């Protein structure tokens, strides 16, 4: 009997399911693989460049940061700014308050100067006891003031375009804050000063700190329409007044 007559032999196996495409990029068509590879390369280059820029910003001054300091600053400020330096943290050791007084045209035609208004105290009052304080209360004035001071010299002269921008920014912040006050008329001029107090040493420390306030007074600025944000009229309407602790007595 012929053993190859088909009887008793193993039947052919049925065809299996089609093979699954390779996972990830390998499963894409060639043009899409090229596009994905280029996109990943761009992301990787940007990530490496960003890390390098931030490192140079926070690292101690070196040859590279001296050579490319302007480019590093343009990349880092303002979105990625750091308030510390690598290997040399710089925690805040002073409380700095920003105060303003205004020269006002009163309704009777006379001119008068307000007392000093502590804008920082307003923010502190809004933050204190609030579990979810506003980002504006925490950072708008504080960061704006740091921006202004760090871009001006000791004579309050701007250091280039950044200094001019910082001055415009802080003037708009101040006029926006003064809008909530009843000052008796439109503001003609404003003057700013900073009040610095060294943070007092803790009770358990033997360190002795001089906590007497130090003042830095800046020149008067004439208010212009460019200093008014949208909605700020500067026509002297009655406002809600300062939040707790906002107004201080005039000094000097």
């Amino acid at each position: 009997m012929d053993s190859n007559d088909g009887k008793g032999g193993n039947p052919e196996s049925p065809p299996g399911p089609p093979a699954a495409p390779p996972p990830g990029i390998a499963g894409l068509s060639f043009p899409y693989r090229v596009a994905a590879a280029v996109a990943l390369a761009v992301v990787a280059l940007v990530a490496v460049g960003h890390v390098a820029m931030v490192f140079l910003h926070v690292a101690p001054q070196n040859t590279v940061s001296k050579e490319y300091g302007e480019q590093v600053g343009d990349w880092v400020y303002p979105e990625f700014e750091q308030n510390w330096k690598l290997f040399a943290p710089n925690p805040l050791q002073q409380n700095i308050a920003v105060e303003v007084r205004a020269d006002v045209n009163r309704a009777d035609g006379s001119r008068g100067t307000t007392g000093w208004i502590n804008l920082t105290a307003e923010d502190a009052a809004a933050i204190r006891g609030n579990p979810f304080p506003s980002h504006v209360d925490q950072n708008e004035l504080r960061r704006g003031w740091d921006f202004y001071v760090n871009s001006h010299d000791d004579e309050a002269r701007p250091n280039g375009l950044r200094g001019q921008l910082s001055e415009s920014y802080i003037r708009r912040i101040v006029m926006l804050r003064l809008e909530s006050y009843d000052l008796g008329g439109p503001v003609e001029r404003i003057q700013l000063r900073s009040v610095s107090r060294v943070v007092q040493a803790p009770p358990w420390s033997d360190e002795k700190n001089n906590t007497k306030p130090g003042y830095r007074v800046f020149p008067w600025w004439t208010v212009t329409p460019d200093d008014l944000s949208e909605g700020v009229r500067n026509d002297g309407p009655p406002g809600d007044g300062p939040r707790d602790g906002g107004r201080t007595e005039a000094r000097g």
Side-chain angles (χ1 to χ4, degrees):
M1 179 179 290
D2 189 357
S3 61
N4 295 323
D5 59 0
K7 295 180 180 181
N10 293 328
E12 294 184 1
S13 300
I25 295 177
L28 300 174
S29 63
F30 179 74
Y32 285 104
R33 288 202 300 269
V34 172
V38 171
L40 288 175
V42 171
V43 171
L45 287 174
V46 172
V48 171
H50 173 72
V51 171
M53 288 291 192
V54 174
F55 174 81
L56 289 173
H57 176 68
V58 301
Q61 195 172 40
N62 54 71
T63 304
V64 178
S65 62
K66 289 179 181 178
E67 180 71 20
Y68 300 102
E70 184 176 352
Q71 291 84 345
V72 171
D74 290 341
W75 177 269
V76 170
Y77 293 106
E79 289 85 359
F80 310 115
E81 180 183 0
Q82 305 292 324
N83 190 32
W84 56 278
K85 292 295 183 182
L86 194 63
F87 311 125
N90 184 28
L92 296 177
Q93 298 177 341
Q94 291 181 324
N95 288 322
I96 300 177
V98 180
E99 298 183 348
V100 61
R101 63 179 177 179
D103 201 4
V104 179
N105 262 340
R106 297 195 175 108
D108 60 5
S110 63
R111 291 281 290 269
T113 302
T114 68
W116 288 103
I117 300 171
N118 191 332
L119 302 179
T120 301
E122 293 183 7
D123 290 342
I127 293 170
R128 191 175 294 112
N130 186 348
F132 303 105
S134 165
H135 178 75
V136 171
D137 292 333
Q138 294 182 84
N139 295 314
E140 181 184 59
L141 177 64
R142 180 179 64 86
R143 297 294 297 275
W145 186 251
D146 287 344
F147 182 27
Y148 173 76
V149 172
N150 292 330
S151 58
H152 283 69
D153 61 19
D154 293 338
E155 302 298 325
R157 293 176 298 208
N159 298 325
L161 179 60
R162 286 180 57 80
Q164 298 172 22
L165 290 174
S166 69
E167 180 177 316
S168 176
Y169 183 53
I170 200 69
R171 289 169 69 147
R172 289 169 71 90
I173 291 175
V174 170
M175 290 305 299
L176 180 63
R177 298 292 186 92
L178 291 180
E179 183 75 355
S180 64
Y181 288 82
D182 180 9
L183 301 177
V187 176
E188 293 293 321
R189 299 189 304 163
I190 55 175
Q191 185 179 34
L192 299 178
R193 74 175 180 182
S194 62
V195 185
S196 304
R197 293 180 175 85
V198 175
V199 176
Q200 189 172 8
W204 44 263
S205 173
D206 295 332
E207 184 179 0
K208 303 297 182 182
N209 292 335
N210 182 6
T211 58
K212 183 179 179 179
Y215 299 92
R216 182 181 178 186
V217 182
F218 293 81
W220 283 95
W221 288 330
T222 299
V223 175
T224 69
D226 290 337
D227 300 329
L228 307 180
S229 303
E230 183 178 356
V232 177
R233 296 175 297 178
N234 189 29
D235 56 3
D240 297 330
R243 290 176 279 186
D244 292 342
R247 186 180 291 275
T248 62
E249 297 296 328
R251 304 187 189 95

